[in-house]
């Protein structure tokens, strides 16, 4: 029996229960019955701030959970995403005496293994802390796992697993899959981040991929002084990438620096398939000659070849501003539901491209589309497979850093140039031609095969030996609803006749029983017509539903997509 886990469950429940109750009342005004409530963006933001405070209070595991949730717009509304993106994974370091025990358990005596060791941590985070030391005259950074963090994380992961069935009750079916995959992803991610041997391997692999690029610097791992709980690297100083004043004073070309940063991530994601996944300003620095330095590879990921190909297709479609191709790429990646209203999503993509390029858009279109994007993005048929969540986070944070360096930075233009230089755009044209040639070949073979089959079908029709079997798909239960209403109507009719007969021929108690049954059936039939779910059909997100939300909206137009500044980035 793990008493710590049980106690943590009670502590977590105390923090989250008020929000879960409020969410349950949003869906059913009186928990069991009643229509849903309209929740305003102001109410959502207030709840998001309350939840953010709870995550900070609950400590390291839940801070990490909040950071992962900030990458999942398919799970949380935009107000929560914006608030959680401000989470800074920075806490005071543990006492040196406790940290010293970890080092000596892993490496032996500090005095024997290091020439010098500064006992004041130069940075502290929820899972680890970093010290400055010296080995054989070389300065090194020593990252140590926070003392006692393993037991706390394991207890919290048990709490998350125990809480999942309860959370499923409060959310709708469209998000249950996303929440389950998120829980699995979180357990895997936080365990990987605590494994410093894995971090060392990822760091070394990415460093090797950039060995010929003199614009990128990645610290080298000191294998002799690294274990699962201690990671020792060469110390590479630099200016924080968002310290604009210092960069300008040093004569750094910020536009070139932003391009270097974006190209580095395009190479990692599209070419190499392994990438640094935590590019906030605390993990990016600049040397005096403009070299870009990467720190902290605890959060890193891999991209499988299929996703790499689809990302290339997506970027190529964006470069050509081909809205249909963009939507096709999103569907093939599993990010966009095939049932989505393509016209609505096309408007959104067109607006996003124009905004990214800084193009002017007519005001009436902004009012028509932006409000719907902000109010309904949580309800878009968008999904985020686990292997794409980190990619999305990287793309958004990198773009934010690039815009901080150069407010006129053309993110799409740089990506287009990179794809063209690497031959991906030309390869895309070649693949298109090959695909069309394959289609022509298939059509030719079909033209040869179809006539004999068609003749056989016509012969069967002539002999009256032709039957058609049809399977009706009723995923929304419409036939079941109609059948239920028909049965209730028949029962009500028979009950009315029986009650009238009892009234004329039987005693008053028997008649009362008939009246009660008649009333009950009448209420059941009335409720079946009143229920909104009875006639819901797919797709759930359409232009009509957008217009209905407009009519229900209390008013007000908020055209802010987010906030600039350091507080918009997650911590390491």
């Amino acid at each position: 029996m793990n008493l710590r886990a049980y106690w943590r469950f009670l502590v977590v429940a105390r923090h989250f229960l008020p929000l879960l109750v409020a969410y349950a009342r949003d869906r059913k005004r009186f928990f069991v019955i009643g229509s849903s409530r309209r929740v305003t963006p102001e109410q959502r933001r207030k709840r998001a701030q309350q939840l953010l405070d709870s995550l900070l209070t609950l400590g390291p595991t839940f801070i990490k959970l909040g950071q992962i949730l900030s990458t999942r717009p398919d799970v949380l509304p935009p107000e929560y995403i914006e608030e959680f993106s401000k989470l800074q994974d920075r806490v005071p370091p543990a006492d040196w005496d406790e940290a010293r025990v970890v080092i000596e358990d892993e490496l032996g005596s500090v005095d024997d293994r290091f020439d010098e060791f500064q006992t004041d941590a130069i940075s502290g985070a929820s899972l680890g802390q970093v010290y400055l030391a010296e080995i054989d005259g070389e300065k090194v950074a020593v990252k140590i796992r926070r003392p006692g963090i393993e037991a706390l994380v394991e207890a919290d992961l048990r709490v998350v697993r125990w809480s999942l069935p309860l959370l499923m009750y409060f959310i709708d079916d469209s998000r249950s899959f996303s929440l389950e995959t998120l829980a699995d992803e979180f357990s895997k991610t936080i365990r990987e981040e605590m494994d410093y041997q894995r971090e060392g391997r990822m760091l070394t692999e990415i460093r090797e991929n950039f060995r010929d690029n003199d614009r990128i610097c990645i610290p080298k791992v000191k294998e002799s002084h690294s274990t699962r709980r201690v990671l020792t690297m060469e110390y590479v100083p630099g200016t924080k990438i968002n310290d604009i004043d210092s960069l300008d004073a040093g004569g750094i070309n910020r536009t070139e620096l932003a391009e270097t940063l974006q190209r580095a991530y395009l190479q990692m994601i599209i070419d190499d398939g392994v990438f640094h996944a935590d590019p906030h300003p605390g993990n990016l620095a600049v040397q005096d000659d403009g070299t870009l330095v990467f720190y902290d590879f605890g959060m890193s990921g891999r991209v499988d070849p299929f996703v790499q190909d689809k990302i290339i297709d997506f970027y190529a479609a964006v470069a050509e501003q081909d809205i249909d191709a963009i939507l096709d790429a999103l569907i093939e990646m599993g990010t966009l539901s095939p049932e989505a209203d393509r016209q609505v999503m096309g408007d959104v993509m067109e607006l996003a491209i124009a905004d990214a390029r800084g193009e002017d858009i007519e005001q009436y279109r902004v009012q028509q589309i932006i409000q719907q994007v902000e109010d309904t993005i949580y309800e878009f048929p968008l999904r985020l497979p686990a292997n794409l969540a980190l990619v999305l986070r990287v793309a958004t944070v990198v773009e934010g850093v690039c815009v901080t360096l150069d407010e006129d930075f053309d993110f799409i233009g740089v990506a287009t140039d990179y794809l063209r230089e690497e031959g991906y755009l030309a390869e895309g044209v070649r693949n298109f031609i090959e695909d069309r040639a394959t289609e022509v070949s298939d059509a030719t073979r079909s033209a040869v095969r179809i006539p004999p089959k068609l003749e056989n079908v016509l012969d069967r029709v002539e002999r009256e030996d032709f039957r058609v079997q049809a399977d009706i798909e009723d995923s929304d239960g419409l036939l079941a609803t109609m059948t239920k209403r028909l049965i209730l109507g028949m029962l009500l009719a028979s009950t009315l006749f029986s009650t009238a007969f009892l009234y004329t021929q039987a005693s008053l108690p028997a008649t009362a029983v008939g009246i009660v049954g008649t009333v009950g059936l009448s209420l059941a039939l009335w409720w079946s017509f009143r229920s909104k779910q009875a006639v819901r059909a797919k797709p759930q997100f359409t232009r009509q539903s957008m217009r209905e939300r407009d009519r229900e909206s209390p008013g007000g137009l908020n055209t802010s997509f987010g906030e600039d500044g350091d507080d918009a980035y997650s911590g390491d």
Side-chain angles (χ1 to χ4, degrees):
M1 179 181 294
N2 192 321
L3 294 178
R4 181 174 190 172
Y6 285 112
W7 174 249
R8 285 288 288 178
F9 181 80
L10 294 176
V11 172
V12 172
R14 180 174 63 84
H15 281 275
F16 289 167
L17 190 58
L19 287 173
L20 291 176
V21 170
Y23 185 70
R25 290 198 62 202
D26 293 342
R27 297 180 62 195
K28 292 292 184 180
R29 190 181 301 274
F30 303 107
F31 292 107
V32 178
I33 61 174
S35 59
S36 61
R37 300 193 300 181
R38 170 70 173 171
V39 182
T40 65
E42 292 75 16
Q43 289 174 313
R44 281 179 172 172
R45 189 170 299 280
K46 182 178 179 181
R47 292 179 186 178
Q49 292 168 349
Q50 292 172 347
L51 185 55
L52 180 63
D53 291 340
S54 295
L55 295 175
L56 292 170
T57 302
L58 290 171
T61 310
F62 289 90
I63 291 174
K64 289 293 177 185
L65 178 60
Q67 290 177 338
I68 290 180
L69 284 170
S70 71
T71 71
R72 300 301 297 265
D74 58 331
V75 175
L76 290 177
E79 293 80 11
Y80 287 77
I81 299 297
E82 186 176 341
E83 290 297 323
F84 287 2
S85 68
K86 300 175 183 177
L87 271 173
Q88 294 292 320
D89 184 18
R90 300 195 178 280
V91 295
D95 291 339
W96 163 244
D97 291 338
E98 297 176 0
R100 184 183 189 119
V101 172
V102 175
I103 297 179
E104 295 189 342
D105 285 346
E106 296 294 313
L107 300 178
S109 171
V110 173
D111 295 334
D112 292 341
R113 300 304 304 274
F114 297 92
D115 298 338
E116 293 184 12
F117 201 103
Q118 296 182 12
T119 58
D120 293 330
I122 58 176
S123 71
S126 57
L127 300 181
Q129 50 204 51
V130 181
Y131 295 86
L132 191 60
E134 191 172 307
I135 302 174
D136 298 331
E138 178 187 2
K139 285 188 176 182
V140 294
V142 184
K143 186 176 180 180
I144 303 170
R145 191 189 297 175
R146 183 174 285 271
I149 192 64
E150 299 95 332
L152 177 61
V153 168
E154 289 302 323
D156 285 342
L157 290 179
R158 288 193 185 94
V159 170
V160 171
R161 287 197 298 271
W162 294 343
S163 303
L164 198 58
L166 178 63
L167 292 175
M168 292 299 183
Y169 174 78
F170 290 94
I171 66 173
D172 51 56
D173 294 338
S174 64
R175 306 202 194 283
S176 58
F177 174 76
S178 293
L179 195 62
E180 287 177 317
T181 56
L182 175 65
D184 295 337
E185 174 197 347
F186 173 61
S187 299
K188 177 175 177 288
T189 299
I190 196 168
R191 288 194 174 102
E192 287 179 347
E193 197 166 347
M194 288 195 302
D195 183 357
Y196 289 170
Q197 285 182 326
R198 175 190 179 275
E199 180 178 348
R201 290 193 299 271
M202 298 292 278
L203 185 157
T204 300
E205 182 176 351
I206 295 173
R207 185 176 188 272
E208 181 65 17
N209 291 335
F210 285 97
R211 66 183 182 278
D212 297 328
N213 190 334
D214 57 4
R215 305 294 298 168
I216 302 294
C217 177
I218 296 174
K220 185 178 180 180
V221 175
K222 194 81 171 177
E223 299 285 354
S224 61
H225 289 67
S226 299
T227 67
R228 283 182 59 85
R229 295 200 295 168
V230 177
L231 178 62
T232 304
M233 303 158 285
E234 65 173 318
Y235 176 67
V236 181
T239 302
K240 197 173 180 181
I241 197 169
N242 63 344
D243 187 352
I244 303 300
D245 293 337
S246 297
L247 294 178
D248 289 342
I252 302 298
N253 187 319
R254 289 190 275 120
T255 301
E256 290 183 1
L257 180 62
E259 184 172 342
T260 299
L261 175 62
Q262 187 187 350
R263 284 176 169 269
Y265 273 98
L266 288 170
Q267 176 184 327
M268 284 188 272
I269 293 172
I270 293 176
D271 291 331
D272 303 332
V274 55
F275 63 99
H276 176 272
D278 200 11
H280 74 85
N283 290 337
L284 299 171
V286 185
Q287 294 183 310
D288 293 340
D289 62 353
T291 301
L292 179 63
V293 184
F294 288 83
Y295 302 128
D296 194 352
F297 288 75
M299 189 178 290
S300 51
R302 294 187 181 275
V303 188
D304 62 69
F306 173 79
V307 174
Q308 284 179 299
D309 290 341
K310 294 303 131 186
I311 291 174
I312 293 171
D313 292 343
F314 175 78
Y315 273 119
V318 170
E320 297 170 2
Q321 300 190 35
D322 186 339
I323 303 300
D324 286 333
I326 293 174
L327 297 180
D328 290 341
L330 292 175
I331 290 172
E332 291 175 0
M333 281 191 287
T335 302
L336 180 65
S337 169
E339 299 169 355
D341 187 322
R342 291 181 70 95
Q343 181 62 46
V344 173
M345 298 306 299
D347 287 344
V348 172
M349 295 303 167
E350 185 180 345
L351 175 70
I353 292 173
D355 178 71
R357 287 192 178 279
E359 298 176 2
D360 293 332
I361 308 173
E362 296 175 3
Q363 185 62 29
Y364 81 95
R365 294 209 53 180
V366 172
Q367 293 175 346
Q368 286 179 340
I369 300 174
I370 291 185
Q371 185 174 5
Q372 299 300 342
V373 172
E374 293 187 335
D375 290 347
T376 61
I377 187 69
Y378 178 54
E379 298 177 16
F380 273 10
L382 292 170
R383 305 182 287 253
L384 274 184
N387 59 348
L388 280 177
L390 279 180
V391 174
L392 174 67
R393 179 179 190 272
V394 164
T396 54
V397 176
V398 167
E399 183 179 7
V401 175
C402 290
V403 171
T404 300
L405 292 170
D406 179 4
E407 61 182 12
D408 298 322
F409 186 73
D410 187 355
F411 194 86
I412 296 177
V414 174
T416 303
D417 291 342
Y418 180 87
L419 293 175
R420 185 175 293 110
E421 291 168 10
E422 297 298 318
Y424 289 116
L425 291 183
E427 182 178 346
V429 173
R430 187 165 54 250
N431 290 339
F432 177 82
I433 295 173
E434 291 175 356
D435 291 342
R436 300 296 77 77
T438 301
E439 290 176 2
V440 171
S441 177
D442 292 341
T444 302
R445 285 195 295 268
S446 297
V448 174
R449 291 196 302 263
I450 287 175
K453 294 182 179 180
L454 181 59
E455 183 178 1
N456 183 44
V457 171
L458 293 175
D459 287 342
R460 295 186 62 183
V461 172
E462 186 177 2
R463 295 195 305 267
E464 297 183 356
D465 187 29
F466 185 76
R467 297 179 179 84
V468 176
Q469 180 178 349
D471 294 328
I472 299 176
E473 182 179 351
D474 185 29
S475 59
D476 293 302
L478 189 58
L479 290 177
T481 300
M482 295 174 64
T483 303
K484 181 175 69 174
R485 291 174 181 171
L486 181 60
I487 293 173
L488 287 173
M490 294 173 62
L491 288 174
L492 179 59
S494 63
T495 306
L496 283 170
F497 176 79
S498 300
T499 303
F501 178 80
L502 290 173
Y503 179 74
T504 59
Q505 302 292 331
S507 61
L508 185 60
T511 303
V513 172
I515 292 173
V516 170
T518 301
V519 172
L521 287 170
S522 299
L523 289 173
L525 185 60
W526 172 80
W527 185 260
S528 73
F529 279 97
R530 185 179 183 276
S531 174
K532 291 183 179 180
Q533 294 179 347
V535 294
R536 185 180 66 187
K538 295 180 179 179
Q540 298 178 27
F541 188 85
T542 62
R543 282 187 168 279
Q544 180 180 357
S545 65
M546 291 176 69
R547 288 193 292 268
E548 290 173 355
R549 288 181 62 94
D550 265 342
R551 289 193 292 269
E552 296 172 1
S553 176
L557 175 63
N558 177 10
T559 58
S560 171
F561 283 101
E563 296 177 358
D564 294 334
D566 295 348
D567 62 351
Y569 305 106
S570 302
D572 56 7

